[in-house]
């Protein structure tokens, strides 16, 4: 399964990242590589074991942080248990818990000012008007690197205007989620299997059809 996921992401990387050119500032025209994050990963995150899953509240993170992402092959995060994120859905006000509940999960990280994230969200929401992602995988989004001085702020208005239909949580002002998942650039994806182990992390645009295939591959029996 992991080899198939890497193959899908390798195709997407070749199509979206301009052959590995350096990342450009967020306000540069779309079509270049993913935009850089602004925080290095930490080694641990706060414990939120007392937070109730059914109580909407501010975003909190628990568990052990993943190492900062810098390579698709031989990623040291693979096989590790990802951090747990709890908080409130920006679009519905309901409680959200980002954690495998015996099902694979995919977490997408977007920044409202990033042209590559804007293109990804627009393509995905347009595609979902006439298609569906495969059932059996839970899909979450996290709004990261919020900046009120840059475009498409606030992020919840941007996502609502685009017709986003999946749970989306905001990172904290201290970039707790960025640090916990080892994010180095956006867009960014983390795939977790039904056993709650990271199987792949990927930075760059994926596209809706590749994402659908990505979901289907996660549902294939391991081994």
């Amino acid at each position: 399964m992991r080899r198939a996921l890497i193959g899908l992401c390798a195709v997407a990387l070749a199509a979206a990242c301009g052959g590995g050119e350096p990342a450009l500032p967020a306000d540069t025209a779309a079509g270049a590589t993913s935009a850089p994050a602004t925080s290095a990963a930490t080694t641990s995150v706060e414990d939120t074991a007392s937070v109730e899953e059914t109580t909407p509240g501010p975003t909190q993170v628990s568990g052990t942080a993943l190492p900062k992402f810098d390579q698709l092959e031989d990623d040291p995060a693979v096989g590790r248990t990802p951090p747990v994120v709890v908080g409130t859905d920006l679009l519905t006000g309901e409680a959200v818990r980002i954690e495998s509940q015996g099902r694979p999960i995919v977490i997408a990280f977007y920044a409202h000012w990033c042209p590559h994230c804007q293109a990804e969200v627009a393509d995905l929401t347009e595609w979902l008007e006439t298609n569906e992602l495969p059932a059996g995988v839970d899909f979450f989004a996290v709004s990261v690197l919020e900046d009120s001085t840059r475009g498409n702020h606030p992020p919840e208005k941007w996502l609502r205007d685009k017709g986003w239909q999946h749970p989306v949580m905001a990172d904290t002002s201290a970039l707790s989620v960025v640090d916990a998942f080892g994010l180095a650039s956006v867009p960014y994806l983390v795939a977790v299997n039904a056993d709650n182990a990271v199987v792949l992390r990927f930075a760059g645009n994926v596209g809706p059809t590749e994402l659908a295939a990505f979901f289907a591959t996660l549902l294939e029996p391991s081994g």
Side-chain angles (χ1 to χ4, degrees), residues 116-140:
H116 319 289
C117 301
Q118 293 162 13
E120 187 90 339
V121 167
D123 289 347
L124 181 57
T125 51
E126 180 180 1
W127 185 86
L128 286 172
E129 290 179 0
T130 53
N131 299 274
E132 291 184 358
L133 293 172
V137 180
D138 295 324
F139 188 38
F140 301 95

Side-chain angles (χ1 to χ4, degrees), residues 82-84 97-105 138 140 192-197:
V84 176
R97 185 179 186 90
I98 301 180
E99 181 183 26
S100 174
Q101 304 291 335
R103 295 154 54 94
I105 65 173
D138 295 324
F140 301 95
V192 179
N193 64 19
D195 295 323
N196 201 28

Side-chain angles (χ1 to χ4, degrees), residues 108-166:
F109 299 79
Y110 301 127
H112 61 90
W113 45 261
C114 167
H116 319 289
C117 301
Q118 293 162 13
E120 187 90 339
V121 167
D123 289 347
L124 181 57
T125 51
E126 180 180 1
W127 185 86
L128 286 172
E129 290 179 0
T130 53
N131 299 274
E132 291 184 358
L133 293 172
V137 180
D138 295 324
F139 188 38
F140 301 95
V142 181
S143 172
V144 297
L145 308 173
E146 184 175 347
D147 184 344
S148 62
T149 68
R150 307 178 86 165
N152 287 329
H153 190 269
E156 57 268 32
K157 182 180 186 304
W158 163 54
L159 292 168
R160 188 176 288 112
D161 289 348
K162 288 300 180 182
W164 188 261
Q165 297 294 317
H166 299 279

Side-chain angles (χ1 to χ4, degrees), residues 11-220:
V11 171
L13 182 66
C17 290
E21 292 296 321
L24 297 176
D27 294 329
T28 303
T33 58
S34 51
T38 58
S39 175
T42 57
T43 56
S44 62
V45 290
E46 295 298 321
D47 181 16
T48 59
S50 62
V51 176
E52 293 292 335
E53 178 181 351
T54 57
T55 303
T59 300
Q60 298 184 59
V61 185
S62 64
T64 301
L66 301 175
K68 189 171 183 179
F69 175 77
D70 64 4
Q71 59 190 40
L72 184 60
E73 293 278 5
D74 300 319
D75 182 354
V78 170
R80 296 194 185 190
T81 300
V84 176
V85 186
V86 296
T88 302
D89 189 331
L90 287 176
L91 303 182
T92 68
E94 297 178 353
V96 179
R97 185 179 186 90
I98 301 180
E99 181 183 26
S100 174
Q101 304 291 335
R103 295 154 54 94
I105 65 173
V106 173
I107 313 165
F109 299 79
Y110 301 127
H112 61 90
W113 45 261
C114 167
H116 319 289
C117 301
Q118 293 162 13
E120 187 90 339
V121 167
D123 289 347
L124 181 57
T125 51
E126 180 180 1
W127 185 86
L128 286 172
E129 290 179 0
T130 53
N131 299 274
E132 291 184 358
L133 293 172
V137 180
D138 295 324
F139 188 38
F140 301 95
V142 181
S143 172
V144 297
L145 308 173
E146 184 175 347
D147 184 344
S148 62
T149 68
R150 307 178 86 165
N152 287 329
H153 190 269
E156 57 268 32
K157 182 180 186 304
W158 163 54
L159 292 168
R160 188 176 288 112
D161 289 348
K162 288 300 180 182
W164 188 261
Q165 297 294 317
H166 299 279
V168 56
M169 195 182 301
D171 196 0
T172 69
S173 58
L175 306 182
S176 301
V177 183
V178 162
D179 289 346
F181 283 85
L183 183 150
S185 63
V186 288
Y188 182 59
L189 284 180
V190 176
V192 179
N193 64 19
D195 295 323
N196 201 28
V198 174
V199 294
L200 186 136
R201 298 188 297 173
F202 175 73
N205 291 80
V206 176
T209 55
E210 289 85 359
L211 184 62
F214 191 89
F215 272 50
T217 304
L218 271 177
L219 291 167
E220 294 176 359

